[in-house]
Amino acid sequence: MGNSKKGNGRINFNILSMCIYIIGIILLIQLFNLQIIHGKEYREQSNTRLTRESVLQAARGEILDRTGVPIVSNTMGFRLDLYKTKVDNQTLNNTILNIIEVLEKNGDVYADNLPITVYPFSFISQDEEYNKRWKKKNNIDENASAEECFYKLKEKYEINSNDIVQTRKIMAIRYEISQNGYSSTKALKVCNNLSRKSAMELSERNAEFAGIDIVTEPIISYTSGNLASHILGTVGKITQDELDKNNDKYNMNDVIGKTGIQYVFEDILKGTNGVRQIDMNIDGTITGEYIAQEAVAGSDVVLTIDANVQEIAEKALEDNIIKISTGGFSSRSDADAGAVVVMNVKTGEILAMASYPDYEPQLFVNGISSEKYEEYNKNSALFNRAISGTYAPGSIFKMVTAIAGLESGVINTQTKINDTGVYPHAHKPVCWYYTEYGGGHGMLNVSQAIKHSCNYFFYEVGNRIGIDTIEKYAKYFGLGKKTQVELPSEANGVVAGQTQAKKENRSWYLGETLSASIGQSYNNFTPIQMAKYISMLANGGKNIDVSIVKTIIDSDGNQMSKEDKDKYVNEKLQFNTNENTDILNISEENLHAILEGMKGVTSESGGTAYSTFVGFDVEIAGKTGTAQAGNKTNGWFAGFAPFDNPEIAVVVVVENVTHGGYTAEVARDIFAEYFGMNADEIVESQEAIPSVQMLN
């Protein structure tokens, strides 16, 4: 029995050994087949097929107005990429030239940052130091002329063409390659906004252009031209510094938010890119492609602005500035810039915010020309005057002094002060009425003083209460500090008073108090701060949180909570969320007296904006202001409506005007749009011509 078991084991071992031998023979035969019989064929296939991963660009989130109208959206466009292939320099140069011929034929713009022009040879930059640094970086003698540099690069890139213009075209792309690099897996962007004609022609002739890839991608589109340009902001190609800080989220070809909402909400607007795989022969011909990972679109940012009100605000501001500068009123001045803010008085939401002059943000998407950028810089078109410009408020500040006087008890609603024309204290400042007519307004109470904008009255109130009380109430209304709107570069402004004097290590004088009481001295505020202040007057003195972003919605339709949105903004803009705001309960009687005075400005004969609003269907409360700023005078109008149940506040400032009352037309047109009126049918009365307030 023992022998039987041994015999069976030997048989099993022999069978197992035979199976192993058979499998080994099969593998050897297959290996022989692969390497010897078909080896050449498979090696050729391997050498002629490359699989590359390409970024599938995610659509950027949209920016919409409060009604859901897209102001920044995406359109599908084409991009031309170039990969490195195993071709010699001469073939590469010929390919580049052929590509450029197609692009130029269809009006497409290609990458060209070569700092040398031909006919005549010259450097684009006039900065000699910059040119020297460029030569050093490119291993060219710093004393070389533009022509010598050109031929040095021609030799470096092995360009054989004798046509200088053709050579310059080839050189532009070769220079781009040398600066940004490219490989068989990393493409160079040749054209960011490729036309459909070029895309079709290049695709059809793909075999003629080694290494090209036509990519379909979303292109950022500002759908309404210049509308809300200072709010929306710009995007542009990512810089090396930005890339170094965010290399886990971006690549060298990405665009990134630079200013405005685009900058603040960059992390939210930017989507998550996908992965596109392409098969390409060794000669650069694409043989196939597929999506390995889908892209996820960025979140949408919904603003508080109303596109219709925004459009009217921008047009009214521009028309008003042109009218002032061309003598459309009784006098002409060099008005050239301004801003307007429209705010919901109950919520602090901004319905419109315009700054003039404005700019075209679409030009920045694919790189703005140096000429256009210089033009924008020259007239400060990129500067958002609504939040970054600080101006002396002039007479629209007088309601602060009035509230301070009433609430502190130095005057009441019935107190009358006799304006004799020349105030007999400090530097003896005069009322504007004295300058115009040689006398004073006579006996006025606080409502009448606001209506007639009597300087003398507010000199006296300021003298009675002192600068500390004025400063206290100015700060209560949010003046002199950021509103913390969700935009970058907001200015703090300055409240005139002892606090500022101590910062400057100097004493404070009575004459400064008198000036501060009528909105001069060191008082300098932004239009958005003034809009908050007017809104608080209109809503009964309640503090409001100013905002220009209503909500954020991700690609799945989920809405970000207000708490998360505020936390994100505070971190991005480094806002101090622990600032304390004094809570003051303003007497209803005192507030009513102030607002009645403002109503008289627009609705009663003698009011400084009466001629603008006579016959207007909605009752407006307002105040004009004319403030000296160095050698020029700035004009203001600030108001709210409807008077009995306030909804919106409008604040306008125009630089270089003669009379602040001229700016009231901007507010009138905005009120008309908001309340559904036809501003063209409003008849202007000449019964009361706005008078300039001569301030010290």
Side-chain angles (χ1 to χ4, degrees), residues 213-229:
D213 181 23
I214 309 298
V215 182
T216 303
E217 64 175 2
I219 297 175
I220 298 167
S221 174
Y222 289 80
T223 59
S224 300
N226 293 22
L227 187 75
S229 57

Side-chain angles (χ1 to χ4, degrees), residues 286-308:
I286 293 176
T287 58
E289 60 177 271
Y290 63 94
I291 305 302
Q293 180 181 326
E294 292 287 351
V296 179
S299 297
D300 295 340
V301 175
V302 183
L303 303 179
T304 61
I305 70 167
D306 183 301
N308 291 330

Side-chain angles (χ1 to χ4, degrees), residues 561-578:
S561 69
K562 183 180 185 302
E563 292 74 20
D564 287 344
K565 186 262 287 185
D566 290 344
K567 180 181 178 182
Y568 171 86
V569 172
N570 292 338
E571 290 177 356
K572 181 77 173 186
L573 296 178
Q574 299 182 330
F575 286 148
N576 181 1
T577 58
N578 298 317

